[in-house]
Amino acid sequence: MEMTGIGWLNLIANLAGAAGMLYLLPLDINYELRILLFYGIVQLMVGRYRNNVLLIWDEIRLIIISHCWFFVGVLLFFKICSLSIVLWLLVLALTTALMSIVFARYSRIWFRNTFKKNVLVIGIGHTAEKLWNVCRGNRFSLMDVRGFISCNDTKRLPTIYQQEEVVKEHVYSFDDMEEVIRKEKIQSVIIAIPQIHKKDLEQIVAGLRNRVKEIKVLPSFNNLVTFDTRVDDFDGLLLISTAQTEINIWVRMGKRILDICGGIAGCLVLLPLYFYVRRKNHQSGDYDPVFFKQKRIGKNGKEFTIYKFRTMVPNAEKILDELMETDPAIREEYTKNKKLKNDPRITKAGHFLRRTSLDEFPQFINVLKGDMSLIGPRPYLPREKEDMGIYYDIIIQMKPGLTGMWQTHGRSDVDFEDRLALDEYYYRNYNLWLDVTLLAKTVKTMLGGSHEGAR
């Protein structure tokens, strides 16, 4: 396991925090030192401080796992007979876990210029642009993209041509790559051309050999690779073993418990919010029902009634039909995206509700009823079934969610096709930790955070 400077910094800080907490325990100093050593070993064995942890959510998962094992391990391997010390060890584990999360997050901000990794991206197409956006929004990975290499105008790679999608002032020619690596002090290169031919890839790698510390490749597997994917060395042959995520009864129970807890909490907030929205509507002269009811596609294709705060004028569906008949541009936009960017049917109060995502709060009623889950695919309209195409049979395997991949990865900026792809990704990669991550991202988005990556 390779540890970088930021990894050592976090290890020292975590050991110092644990030592401070252990010092308060009424134990022999040698006993405390052994517990402290055990703490450090558990952190390392679980995989903390690794060089390949790129997201804060992965780091938080490792922190939780490592501190749980630490607490259980101390109880099993150390003779702790006092209930007060057991409780203090529990406080120690919780406190050091929280401190680890905070320091892991902010150490990458405070010491970014010291520990950041200068990255060069080979490619200028859509994949390179997406990588650029992720790196900008994900400071945890410490990846600082210094430029992009265009392979369009070089005789050495005649089969590669990409439409330029990235920031033009940071694009360099492939023939100038060696100079860019030297000038920008590049440590890592990412090849972001998913459909690249084997010979072209070999040519690029040959040009990078002994010039950078690491080379990464963004491959194209067309959704083959999931969280269950395993890479095996089969006597010199690279095997990628993938499997469909199986949602067993224990995971379903855990998801339902999370839904019930979240549903109760959401409904407690919903009650005062209802009266607030009603008052705002009345002030605008709008005395129609506060809630909007609509049929949506649920699990296994069964339709259910969804609840939302009404953000549009009455008879919104009829008005939409009239707008589509009279305005070809509106008809084309809605046919493509299933929504209008500047929808004239939205009320004054509705703009606020949508901008803050508060219009979704009545769906906590659907969550408690079991029609929906806190996290899941987007609840699609029955008339969208035909447009869902091959994704339909996959998406209906799970309950639709109050939030999900579609909301935490752009929401209004994501077109219909991309929303379907995100929902398929959620199904194929489902686990409870993904739910927790998406729930945290949703709260962050509602509070004004970015959709991009983990900061």
Side-chain angles (χ1 to χ4, degrees):
M1 176 189 65
E2 180 185 357
M3 282 180 59
T4 56
I6 195 70
W8 284 108
L9 182 66
N10 275 270
L11 174 60
I12 293 170
N14 294 161
L15 288 174
M21 295 291 293
L22 282 168
Y23 182 74
L24 300 176
L25 282 173
L27 296 173
D28 179 78
I29 184 66
N30 291 327
Y31 205 70
E32 291 177 356
L33 286 175
R34 284 195 293 164
I35 294 178
L36 181 64
L37 178 62
F38 180 73
Y39 174 83
I41 291 173
V42 169
Q43 302 302 302
L44 291 170
M45 288 182 63
V46 169
R48 294 282 316 282
Y49 323 115
R50 295 180 304 176
N51 188 34
N52 60 339
V53 178
L54 302 179
L55 295 172
I56 183 64
W57 314 109
D58 294 330
E59 184 72 8
I60 291 173
R61 180 175 59 84
L62 291 175
I63 288 171
I64 292 173
I65 292 172
S66 62
H67 284 78
C68 286
W69 278 117
F70 164 70
F71 177 71
V72 173
V74 170
L75 296 182
L76 290 175
F77 302 120
F78 294 82
K79 295 180 180 179
I80 306 294
C81 301
S82 170
L83 179 61
S84 62
I85 294 180
V86 171
L87 293 176
W88 184 251
L89 281 171
L90 179 60
V91 172
L92 181 149
L94 292 173
T95 304
T96 52
L98 181 60
M99 289 191 301
S100 296
I101 292 172
V102 172
F103 194 78
R105 169 71 176 85
Y106 285 98
S107 63
R108 285 162 170 79
I109 297 175
W110 298 331
F111 303 100
R112 179 174 177 79
N113 290 333
T114 303
F115 296 114
K116 69 179 181 180
K117 185 184 300 181
N118 290 340
V119 176
L120 184 66
V121 177
I122 298 181
I124 58 173
H126 175 71
T127 302
E129 181 204 24
K130 189 173 182 180
L131 176 64
W132 160 248
N133 288 329
V134 171
C135 288
R136 283 192 303 169
N138 175 22
R139 289 174 290 182
F140 189 86
S141 67
L142 295 175
M143 288 186 176
D144 185 12
V145 176
R146 307 298 298 174
F148 303 87
I149 296 296
S150 172
C151 301
N152 289 353
D153 302 316
T154 176
K155 296 180 179 179
R156 288 186 282 177
L157 302 169
T159 64
I160 296 180
Y161 179 81
Q162 292 183 294
Q163 185 71 32
E164 191 169 326
E165 302 284 350
V166 297
V167 184
K168 299 184 187 303
E169 57 263 32
H170 294 293
V171 176
Y172 305 94
S173 169
F174 181 80
D175 296 324
D176 297 329
M177 184 171 64
E178 293 180 22
E179 175 63 19
V180 175
I181 291 174
R182 184 189 63 78
K183 182 180 177 181
E184 297 292 340
K185 298 179 181 179
I186 300 298
Q187 300 159 283
S188 178
V189 169
I190 302 178
I191 302 173
I193 310 176
Q195 305 298 339
I196 191 170
H197 294 162
K198 179 182 176 183
K199 289 185 178 180
D200 291 331
L201 180 60
E202 291 174 348
Q203 175 82 3
I204 293 173
V205 172
L208 295 170
R209 191 169 288 120
N210 299 325
R211 290 187 172 88
V212 293
K213 291 183 178 180
E214 64 178 2
I215 302 170
K216 298 178 183 288
V217 180
L218 281 172
S220 176
F221 286 107
N222 297 321
N223 295 325
L224 174 66
V225 177
T226 68
F227 289 152
D228 289 331
T229 298
R230 186 181 70 256
V231 178
D232 297 314
D233 178 1
F234 189 58
D235 197 16
L237 297 175
L238 183 67
L239 287 182
I240 298 178
S241 306
T242 184
Q244 174 62 55
T245 300
E246 293 185 6
I247 306 176
N248 58 46
I249 186 172
W250 302 109
V251 174
R252 292 181 188 275
M253 288 176 58
K255 186 173 178 65
R256 185 57 187 153
I257 291 172
L258 183 65
D259 287 344
I260 292 173
C261 293
I264 293 173
C267 285
L268 291 176
V269 178
L270 174 64
L271 189 61
L273 188 60
Y274 168 83
F275 291 105
Y276 171 79
V277 173
R278 189 178 71 165
R279 184 171 66 87
K280 282 291 185 182
N281 286 351
H282 288 181
Q283 288 176 348
S284 302
D286 184 350
Y287 291 92
D288 285 290
V290 175
F291 284 163
F292 169 73
K293 301 178 182 179
Q294 191 179 49
K295 290 294 183 181
R296 296 293 179 103
I297 300 174
K299 186 178 180 182
N300 299 324
K302 182 181 179 181
E303 293 186 8
F304 69 98
T305 300
I306 197 173
Y307 302 97
K308 299 179 71 172
F309 279 123
R310 182 175 53 82
T311 59
M312 291 186 176
V313 297
N315 301 318
E317 293 293 322
K318 182 179 179 181
I319 294 173
L320 175 62
D321 292 337
E322 293 174 355
L323 288 171
M324 292 176 67
E325 285 181 11
T326 57
D327 192 328
I330 287 180
R331 182 171 62 252
E332 181 181 354
E333 181 184 355
Y334 189 83
T335 301
K336 179 181 178 182
N337 298 325
K338 309 304 176 188
K339 64 180 183 294
L340 301 176
K341 191 169 186 179
N342 298 307
D343 200 321
R345 302 170 297 161
I346 300 176
T347 64
K348 185 177 180 180
H351 282 290
F352 167 74
L353 289 170
R354 288 191 171 205
R355 187 174 66 253
T356 56
S357 295
L358 293 176
D359 62 315
E360 312 285 355
F361 260 67
Q363 292 173 34
F364 280 110
I365 299 173
N366 291 113
V367 173
L368 277 181
K369 289 175 63 180
D371 297 326
M372 295 178 63
S373 179
L374 285 178
I375 313 293
R378 178 177 176 268
Y380 291 90
L381 292 163
R383 67 167 177 263
E384 295 174 333
K385 177 178 177 180
E386 184 177 343
D387 297 321
M388 292 171 71
I390 60 174
Y391 293 101
Y392 175 80
D393 290 330
I394 296 172
I395 290 174
I396 64 171
Q397 298 298 313
M398 304 191 76
K399 292 180 183 178
L402 193 152
T403 185
M405 296 287 296
W406 48 277
Q407 191 173 50
T408 57
H409 290 72
R411 195 178 180 181
S412 297
D413 298 326
V414 179
D415 62 28
F416 188 73
E417 188 70 23
D418 287 337
R419 273 180 269 166
L420 291 168
L422 286 170
D423 287 337
E424 181 193 27
Y425 177 91
Y426 173 80
Y427 169 71
R428 294 190 182 282
N429 296 279
Y430 177 75
N431 58 46
L432 279 177
W433 181 251
L434 179 58
D435 270 6
V436 173
T437 300
L438 293 176
L439 197 59
K441 284 187 175 184
T442 299
V443 173
K444 180 181 176 183
T445 299
M446 291 179 66
L447 296 176
S450 169
H451 293 293
E452 301 292 346
R455 292 181 182 271

